[in-house]
Amino acid sequence: MTRNLRAGSRASADRLARLLNLVPYLLARPGIEVAEAAGDLGVTERQLREDLELLWVCGLPGYGPGDLIDMAFDGDRVTITYDAGIDRPLRLTPDEALALVVALRMLAETPGVANREAVERALVKIENAAGDGLGAPVAVRLPADNRRVTELRAAVESGRALRITYYSVARDETIERIVDPLRMLIIGGRAYLEAWCRRAEGMRLFRVDRTDAVTRLAEPARVPPQAVPHDLTAGVFRPTPDLPLVTLRIGRGERWITEYYPCERVEQSDGEWLVSLRVTDLGWARRFVLGLGPEVTVVAPPELAAQVHAAATAALEAYAAPPPDPAAVEPMAPTDRAVG
């Protein structure tokens, strides 16, 4: 099914490009035979006639007489009588070409991207077609630890298992793991290693900037058949019903939480908002709440409220401890170096 959808999308894109160039092609060759045009365009005569029938219902907004593309047939010959403004082949503007070059260069630098050669070929074609319109050569640097990314990319391509030392924010601890790498990803400007974690017995995403050490093992990577790559269309974090649900009462200054984090429920009012969201771990939620301003109150679960209260109280008590009395501190005896 996926292969058929991809093939259909590619065919539709090819047809769109052909249609955009067909009108100016016919304008330059009034009265051309359909068979000759089909040969020039690399399609069958039947496909060209189907394209011409589609062009008949294309045109400018309004889509009435005088808005749609029109043509005249004389036997097997065709002539465009109204082009609806499509009077020249599709060409990229300098800004469009630059945007494509930047996007393709980012794609080429993405760790683990498949068929990098095709990306490079597309870059060469666009840069050659744009010529001097691009100005200075374009260089793209991804916001990631390039040395570590290069190291992990080489490890993935080698097909070997890895021993990594990784800091888990959710558990606030550094753990050594043995993983079987699958691919490298760039998501939201950050580099990730996707791998089968033997400790967790599941697929995991490891942020490159939280990976302290990487050792390539002699044994080959063994990703089990049941391992399924993450669906990242909605981002890295995908809340599920089995994760803890946290409810916060937030003020105006903390409403950004609803835009930055996926929330299950947001009850808005003129003053405070009630926000519910899933978290991977209550330890992470405690540190998250403690890092926010005074306009946040934990409503649920009760254990999170108790943890936040205890941590905040301990911090306040540390600040409330009286400073040492300077008079009670015995002055240091001068050394010979200081005297002399």
Side-chain angles (χ1 to χ4, degrees), residues 58-226:
C58 298
L60 300 174
Y63 309 108
D67 299 321
L68 301 178
I69 295 173
D70 202 1
M71 63 196 78
F73 284 91
D74 182 10
D76 287 336
R77 298 179 179 274
V78 60
T79 300
I80 295 291
T81 57
Y82 179 65
D83 58 36
I86 308 178
D87 56 352
R88 60 182 183 277
L90 179 64
R91 292 290 185 269
L92 295 174
T93 66
D95 287 344
E96 291 170 338
L98 180 60
L100 275 177
V101 168
V102 170
L104 287 171
R105 288 209 176 278
M106 289 186 66
L107 184 61
E109 292 298 320
T110 299
V113 67
N115 205 355
R116 186 175 283 103
E117 294 79 9
V119 177
E120 295 290 348
R121 289 197 300 271
L123 269 171
V124 171
K125 289 181 180 179
I126 294 174
E127 289 176 336
N128 289 341
D132 297 334
L134 291 178
V138 178
V140 173
R141 176 175 297 177
L142 296 177
D145 184 341
N146 290 333
R147 180 184 62 82
R148 185 72 75 203
V149 167
T150 302
E151 181 181 9
L152 285 170
R153 179 191 294 173
V156 171
E157 293 174 351
S158 72
R160 295 185 180 181
L162 304 176
R163 179 183 290 108
I164 64 173
T165 303
Y166 186 75
Y167 171 68
S168 172
V169 174
R171 295 178 176 84
D172 192 23
E173 60 180 352
T174 300
I175 304 174
E176 187 175 272
R177 303 168 181 256
I178 295 180
V179 301
D180 300 295
L182 180 64
R183 57 177 176 169
M184 294 288 295
L185 302 164
I186 296 292
I187 309 169
R190 298 186 184 278
Y192 292 83
L193 167 68
E194 185 174 28
W196 175 266
C197 177
R198 298 184 185 179
R199 175 191 178 103
E201 295 185 347
M203 294 297 295
R204 293 292 185 269
L205 287 172
F206 300 98
R207 261 179 55 172
V208 170
D209 58 347
R210 294 176 182 164
T211 306
D212 296 328
V214 178
T215 302
R216 196 183 308 182
L217 304 180
E219 61 180 294
R222 299 191 302 271
V223 180
Q226 68 270 25

Side-chain angles (χ1 to χ4, degrees), residues 304-326:
L304 176 60
Q307 292 176 18
V308 171
H309 181 269
T313 300
L316 291 173
E317 289 176 350
Y319 279 107
D325 185 0

Side-chain angles (χ1 to χ4, degrees), residues 312-337:
T313 300
L316 291 173
E317 289 176 350
Y319 279 107
D325 185 0
V329 179
E330 183 178 351
M332 296 180 59
T335 62
D336 294 340
R337 183 183 299 275

Side-chain angles (χ1 to χ4, degrees), residues 3-33:
R3 184 177 301 175
N4 291 339
L5 289 174
R6 289 177 178 173
S9 298
R10 183 166 59 251
S12 297
D14 292 343
R15 189 180 192 189
L16 175 61
R18 189 170 65 248
L19 288 171
L20 290 172
N21 290 309
L22 179 56
V23 175
Y25 169 86
L26 295 176
L27 282 173
R29 300 163 179 83
I32 188 173
E33 290 187 355

Side-chain angles (χ1 to χ4, degrees), residues 41-53:
L41 296 171
V43 297
T44 65
E45 186 174 341
R46 176 181 176 181
Q47 179 62 67
L48 180 57
R49 290 186 181 276
E50 290 178 355
D51 289 344
L52 293 174
E53 291 176 1

